[in-house]
Amino acid sequence: MRENAGTAFGFAGAAMAAVYVRDAEGTGRLRLIDTLGRTSTPYEVPETLSPDDRSPVADAYRTGRAVWPATGETPGAGTATAAEAPVAPVVSAAALPLGAEGGRLGCLLVVDDGPYGFDTTRRHLLEMYAGQLTTRLEADGRPHTTPVPGSAREPAPAGAVLRRIRPGAFALALDTGGIEADSRLPELFGIAPEDFDGRVETLLWRAVPDDLPALMSLVEPDERATGLRDLEFRIRLSTGELRWLSLSCRLGLDPAGRPDRLFGVVAEASRLRPRAHEVSRVQRLATALADTTSPRDIVGALLDSLGADRVALVELVSDRLVVTVLDPRDPIAWPQAWRSAWRAEWRDALPGSLPTVEGTLREGNVHLWPPGTAAPPDLVELGPGGLALLPLPAEGRTLGACVIGWNEAQEFGLQERSLLTATASLAGQALMRARTFDAERELVTVLQRSLLPRTLPALPGGVAVVRYLPAAAGLEVGGDWYDVIPLSDRQVAFVIGDVEGHSAAAATVMGQMRTAIRAYAVEGHTPDVVISHANRLLTGMETDLFATVCYVALDMEEGNAWFVRAGHLPPVLRDPEGGTTELQVEGGPPLGVDAQAAFPMATAAIAPGSVLALMTDGLVESPETGMEEGLRRVGDCLAAADPSDPEGMAAALLGGGARRDDDLALLLLRYDGMAVRPRRAGWAVWRLPDAAAHARRFTTRMLRAWDAVEEADTVLLVVSELVTNALVHTRGEVRLDLALTGNRLRVAVSDSSPRTPVKPASMDWEATGGRGILMVEAVSESWGSVPLSGGKQVWSEIALPPREPEPEPRPEPLGSEEEPTQGNRTGRGTPRERNGT
């Protein structure tokens, strides 16, 4: 970027610039209000000009078109006094109109050394600079003439318009990210010119995360993005101060017509924003919303334009009320109803939880609550200084609603209501454009939502919370998934997984893997067998994608956990004292790589009060952070968080909402242990002629020990029928398990046959058998059969009369001498022995 050393005005390599505006006294003449750069001969300019003069300034003002000199052309009459000099060096002068037809403010004159004129790039830069100057003049109101430095009158003040705007110019190479800029550009970003490394990433790093998507749309433009583009964005200086910058840019094309560079100008815009009148605010909002591509971009534009402190966007998606964006993102800033509705940015709002918003969607009217006015219950605490609820209309229907809150007192007069009404219309149109722009992503996201669990099951002895966030770049849909699978009355499986890529194919494979793992787990397989089956399934599918997964089977009563890891991140455990540990789980390769891969299983004991965290790599890895550092951050965050608030822990782990290049899933389990632990007893039934009698006597002793003899006859009938069926129709080991939980007694008989018992379609009343299952069904609250490690388990639950639970279970009696106590097994065992019991 050519820059004249030693001049005050170095923009685009020009030696001098001057601003002419229409005379405020109504004379019709153009009066000089400011100059910058060289002002000595041959760059002296007249203080006034007539629009009828034959000069570049008058021609540009009169026609509304820029006047560019031909190569080697000297300035025309009335532009400079070069003709009066004894030896007049050749200079080039250009004039650009300021403002549009009917509201033209004046003209910008630019003079440069030599007969070279201005090439295409410099012309575009000067046009963008003129646009920035016009914005400044319009924001300041009608400009007043100011004495020119060097004249007989007083010198111009330090706040002259050319000095106040002081833009920076740049040219960005799209293929390398290298940026060539004048010294002013890094200064605007709070970087000393000598410290600037010429990389666009260095400048983008200063931008506020909410404004990055709009900036990236310019830095990584679509080939169809032609013409001039304007954007206002925020940066954060090293002091923590926010600064508004205004960017005007245009694409440059290579000889083949493809974009190869981006050049533009940047100027400070902080002083423009608070001084703008209402019309200008609407215009700037319309400009900002024109570049939005997501609901969060829309909310950011509303926050900035209206000076609000809190904005929530509620959308109607397939007739469902969805709270899509909350800003600020910290859940503590929002009441519980809004936190519950938001969750992972796409969860449905509970029916009736936001009645005022639902009413606004039906009637379509703007509602305002000035300071001191009682807000409806679902909007309380959102705006102590004023609250607005705006419907968002577009194409004849209401797409959603926007809640805007202020902390400082606001006045809602006629002008404010008009502004908010216009804001609602603009935001509704922007939301419609964003939906159209994201049509493919929305379709795939809906598919992904249907493949993930909508709610988590209630757990005995623990609380599970989940967060799922799509990527903030690209298609914003991927293969991350989670699941919580109840396996029995005491065992639960927790699954976290990630299919590579961000595409519809990744989301489809994710759904298939989640369904397969759930099916294999419910069948009663141990964790290593579940993952092995899923691996063989994915290997045999016609896809090049692979998946990583971490599977945890946890005994909610005892706290014993079994882990299997397939190419996935290790779990992180927070103990009750606040220490954190990465669990050392030996892992196998990702699923879909090797059909014969082995997946070893590890065990760990989890104490009540612990928190187990399962996550995908989107939470711990980024271009700036490696996996090890990310896992350390997760551990530190878990240690510092309050375990009594799992929702708060999940929000803390997600951090401040920085830009994400990958989607992420987070599954947290706070393990509390069962408040009332079930009483259990097991009996290995020996194949003796009187085996059913031994089973009945064992059951009788247990009922007496547990003080649960009220339904003894019913329980003994069920035990006799199930044990007899297993002995008669199967071979191998038969096991009887009893479990008393509250007022329900569960009888379960396991055998080695996978064949499910079938009720007879018709009954022969003269037959001597075949009525056992019918009797079990008749006396049980519920009954069923589940697969179990190559066999099955038939179970029955029987309701007992209500009674007060005892604080501690009585000791279980040992078997008597005349009964085969060798078969009693009440130990913990492995999942292969106890799964499904």
Side-chain angles (χ1 to χ4, degrees):
M1 187 68 60
R2 188 165 62 92
E3 185 170 359
N4 288 329
T7 64
F9 180 71
F11 178 76
M16 189 274 290
V19 177
Y20 284 88
V21 298
R22 200 172 52 242
D23 191 355
E25 300 176 359
T27 63
R29 297 183 65 80
L30 298 175
R31 186 173 298 276
L32 181 67
I33 65 168
D34 192 20
T35 61
L36 193 62
R38 304 178 191 174
T39 56
S40 59
T41 304
Y43 302 99
E44 296 178 7
V45 291
E47 294 189 16
T48 62
L49 285 172
S50 170
D52 299 326
D53 291 343
R54 295 294 299 168
S55 67
V57 172
D59 291 345
Y61 178 79
R62 187 171 56 253
T63 63
R65 294 190 298 270
V67 177
W68 303 104
T71 301
E73 180 180 326
T74 59
T79 303
T81 59
E84 300 174 2
V87 178
V90 177
V91 295
S92 301
L96 298 91
L98 301 177
E101 183 68 31
R104 199 166 297 133
L105 302 174
C107 198
L108 170 67
L109 172 67
V110 181
V111 183
D112 194 15
D113 294 322
Y116 311 108
F118 297 89
D119 59 21
T120 302
T121 298
R122 296 179 68 195
R123 290 186 181 189
H124 286 321
L125 290 174
L126 289 171
E127 287 172 349
M128 288 182 270
Y129 177 66
Q132 297 276 8
L133 184 58
T134 300
T135 301
R136 171 72 66 177
L137 294 174
E138 289 177 342
D140 289 344
R142 183 176 181 86
H144 296 284
T145 56
T146 304
V148 181
S151 68
R153 290 167 289 182
E154 294 297 326
V161 63
L162 289 174
R163 289 178 175 81
R164 293 205 309 269
I165 188 171
R166 293 191 61 207
F170 69 89
L172 169 66
L174 298 179
D175 54 347
T176 65
I179 188 168
E180 187 181 3
D182 59 17
S183 61
R184 177 58 178 164
L185 184 73
E187 290 177 354
L188 290 170
F189 284 81
I191 303 172
E194 61 272 14
D195 296 334
F196 180 51
D197 58 4
R199 298 173 60 247
V200 69
E201 292 81 3
T202 304
L203 303 179
L204 293 175
W205 183 80
R206 296 293 182 106
V208 173
D210 283 350
D211 296 344
L212 264 177
L215 275 172
M216 292 304 297
S217 69
L218 301 181
V219 176
E220 299 176 355
D222 186 275
E223 292 187 1
R224 296 167 295 181
T226 59
L228 181 65
R229 301 190 67 187
D230 296 315
L231 175 68
E232 288 185 1
F233 62 97
R234 296 163 293 176
I235 63 166
R236 191 172 295 279
L237 303 177
S238 58
T239 60
E241 176 189 358
L242 281 178
R243 173 181 288 176
W244 277 97
L245 297 179
S246 175
L247 167 66
S248 296
C249 61
R250 182 187 296 269
L251 279 177
L253 305 179
D254 62 13
R258 294 184 299 267
D260 67 338
R261 59 200 171 105
L262 182 77
F263 49 87
V265 298
V266 177
E268 186 172 359
S270 300
R271 296 179 60 182
L272 292 178
R273 302 184 68 82
R275 296 184 177 183
H277 50 76
E278 302 302 328
V279 175
S280 296
R281 293 173 67 185
V282 174
Q283 291 174 341
R284 285 200 306 276
L285 177 61
T287 302
L289 290 175
D291 292 326
T292 57
T293 58
S294 70
R296 181 158 292 282
D297 293 343
I298 295 172
V299 168
L302 294 178
L303 272 172
D304 300 336
S305 176
L306 301 177
D309 300 286
R310 190 177 288 106
V311 175
L313 185 62
V314 185
E315 295 186 61
L316 275 178
V317 180
S318 301
D319 297 327
R320 295 181 294 111
L321 196 62
V322 181
V323 180
T324 53
V325 181
L326 295 179
D327 201 322
R329 303 187 186 191
D330 187 355
I332 299 177
W334 296 87
Q336 180 61 39
W338 289 85
R339 274 182 273 172
S340 301
W342 178 49
R343 295 290 181 97
E345 290 197 5
W346 52 259
R347 294 299 180 95
D348 298 354
L350 297 176
S353 61
L354 304 174
T356 309
V357 176
E358 294 176 5
T360 298
L361 294 177
R362 288 193 302 269
E363 62 188 31
N365 294 327
V366 174
H367 293 278
L368 304 176
W369 289 270
T373 304
D378 54 329
L379 301 181
V380 170
E381 302 178 5
L382 296 185
L387 186 63
L389 178 56
L390 313 178
L392 304 180
E395 297 187 0
R397 59 193 181 96
T398 302
L399 303 180
C402 186
V403 180
I404 305 173
W406 291 266
N407 293 334
E408 300 294 331
Q410 301 291 313
E411 294 183 3
F412 293 129
L414 180 60
Q415 291 183 347
E416 288 76 16
R417 178 177 287 273
S418 299
L419 171 64
L420 291 172
T421 302
T423 298
S425 178
L426 290 172
Q429 295 171 17
L431 185 58
M432 175 61 74
R433 289 194 302 270
R435 287 186 176 183
T436 303
F437 181 80
D438 295 336
E440 179 182 0
R441 180 185 60 187
E442 183 66 21
L443 290 175
V444 180
T445 303
V446 170
L447 169 64
Q448 190 171 37
R449 293 175 190 171
S450 66
L451 297 175
L452 291 173
R454 295 178 66 84
T455 59
L456 298 183
L459 302 178
V463 177
V465 298
V466 68
R467 290 291 186 274
Y468 176 84
L469 294 178
L475 191 58
E476 296 190 15
V477 64
D480 288 20
W481 89 90
Y482 58 87
D483 209 350
V484 178
I485 311 169
L487 301 177
S488 68
D489 59 341
R490 65 185 288 179
Q491 195 172 87
V492 181
F494 302 90
V495 188
I496 197 87
D498 183 6
V499 178
E500 67 162 331
H502 300 84
S503 63
T508 303
V509 172
M510 175 271 288
Q512 293 170 315
M513 284 295 96
R514 173 179 173 257
T515 302
I517 289 177
R518 171 174 278 268
Y520 294 139
V522 171
E523 283 183 356
H525 298 294
T526 54
D528 54 343
V529 174
V530 169
I531 299 304
S532 295
H533 285 357
N535 176 53
R536 285 194 292 270
L537 175 65
L538 182 56
T539 306
M541 293 169 56
E542 295 181 358
T543 178
D544 295 328
L545 301 177
F546 62 84
T548 65
V549 66
C550 183
Y551 182 102
V552 182
L554 177 63
D555 187 325
M556 302 298 292
E557 180 180 339
E558 301 292 341
N560 296 325
W562 290 264
F563 297 87
V564 175
R565 192 162 61 92
H568 203 79
L569 297 174
V572 178
L573 180 67
R574 182 192 191 277
D575 60 43
E577 288 73 33
T580 59
T581 306
E582 294 177 25
L583 297 181
Q584 300 303 313
V585 179
E586 182 183 358
L591 305 183
V593 175
D594 180 6
Q596 305 303 321
F599 299 94
M601 185 165 58
T603 62
I606 299 180
S610 300
V611 177
L612 181 67
L614 305 177
M615 70 218 76
T616 57
D617 56 3
L619 181 65
V620 300
E621 287 187 304
S622 69
E624 298 80 21
T625 305
M627 184 180 71
E628 293 184 1
E629 182 180 347
L631 286 172
R632 282 197 300 270
R633 185 190 69 81
V634 169
D636 295 342
C637 190
L638 285 174
D642 181 6
S644 65
D645 182 16
E647 297 281 355
M649 295 184 80
L653 284 170
L654 261 58
R659 175 180 172 83
R660 300 179 309 279
D661 295 320
D662 193 8
D663 47 344
L664 67 88
L666 170 67
L667 179 58
L668 288 182
L669 168 70
R670 188 189 68 203
Y671 174 67
D672 302 323
M674 292 189 179
V676 179
R677 299 183 63 179
R679 302 178 182 184
R680 301 182 185 276
W683 179 270
V685 181
W686 288 17
R687 288 185 175 273
L688 300 174
D690 57 349
H694 288 305
R696 287 194 297 271
R697 281 197 291 272
F698 167 74
T699 302
T700 299
R701 289 200 310 274
M702 293 299 99
L703 294 178
R704 289 173 180 170
W706 294 342
D707 192 19
V709 298
E710 294 87 347
E711 297 292 335
D713 292 341
T714 301
V715 175
L716 293 176
L717 172 63
V718 172
V719 168
S720 182
E721 292 298 335
L722 295 184
V723 169
T724 300
N725 281 347
L727 293 172
V728 171
H729 298 291
T730 70
R731 295 182 180 182
E733 181 182 1
V734 175
R735 179 176 176 82
L736 168 65
D737 289 286
L738 304 175
L740 177 63
T741 306
N743 297 323
R744 298 180 75 87
L745 181 72
R746 182 183 177 95
V747 178
V749 175
S750 305
D751 58 59
S752 58
S753 172
R755 184 168 177 264
T756 301
V758 180
K759 292 189 298 181
S762 60
M763 179 58 62
D764 183 357
W765 295 104
E766 295 183 359
T768 58
R771 300 183 181 89
I773 291 299
L774 292 176
M775 288 189 291
V776 170
E777 182 181 42
V779 301
S780 302
E781 281 286 313
S782 59
W783 78 281
S785 174
V786 294
L788 182 63
S789 299
K792 69 175 180 299
Q793 182 185 83
V794 184
W795 57 270
S796 165
E797 287 193 352
I798 302 162
L800 304 180
R803 57 194 177 88
E804 292 295 329
E806 296 182 9
E808 292 292 337
R810 298 178 183 177
E812 298 176 1
L814 299 176
S816 60
E817 294 181 359
E818 68 275 16
E819 295 176 352
T821 58
Q822 299 95 322
N824 291 3
R825 287 196 283 177
T826 58
R828 295 180 181 176
T830 69
R832 298 182 190 272
E833 297 169 338
R834 300 190 299 107
N835 200 342
T837 60

